[in-house]
Amino acid sequence: SDVQVDKNGKLLISGLYRKNLELGTLLIANTSNSYYTFLAKCNENFEFEWSKSSSKTTPTTTEYLFSYRIYQDNSGNIYLEPNSAILIA
């Protein structure tokens, strides 16, 4: 899990979940019993603006994001970084 502040002062949060994940009014439904990685952004009022989710079940695609660290480049791209960075947003 990781928490970072982006260049606009908004919080980026990553972590793992199993089953459904509720982030304020956002719901990510998970019908399997697998663990998933999520990345979410919330504003200065701590309201979640968006979230993205990937499973660890397909290791040959960007779905394999069992990540803990958030990395941002100078262009504002957001990466989740396990052993190597994979562009997610």
Side-chain angles (χ1 to χ4, degrees):
S1 299
D2 194 12
V3 176
Q4 297 280 327
V5 178
D6 74 4
K7 66 181 185 175
N8 298 313
K10 297 186 179 185
L11 287 177
L12 299 168
I13 302 166
S14 70
L16 297 174
Y17 71 100
R18 191 172 181 191
K19 302 292 182 184
N20 295 335
L21 175 65
E22 287 187 54
L23 301 168
T25 59
L26 301 176
L27 172 67
I28 303 173
N30 177 3
T31 57
S32 75
N33 204 23
S34 297
Y35 286 93
Y36 286 70
T37 300
F38 75 91
L39 174 66
K41 181 186 263 190
C42 66
N43 62 27
E44 55 279 347
N45 296 319
F46 300 102
E47 300 165 329
F48 287 94
E49 295 181 351
W50 56 259
S51 64
K52 297 183 183 247
S53 176
S54 294
S55 74
K56 64 178 185 103
T57 58
T58 44
T60 58
T61 70
T62 57
E63 297 267 307
Y64 192 71
L65 293 173
F66 207 77
S67 177
Y68 296 99
R69 185 176 182 279
I70 299 169
Y71 169 75
Q72 301 167 75
D73 64 19
N74 292 335
S75 299
N77 293 311
I78 303 165
Y79 299 83
L80 290 180
E81 190 175 62
N83 295 326
S84 61
I86 301 169
L87 179 64
I88 185 79

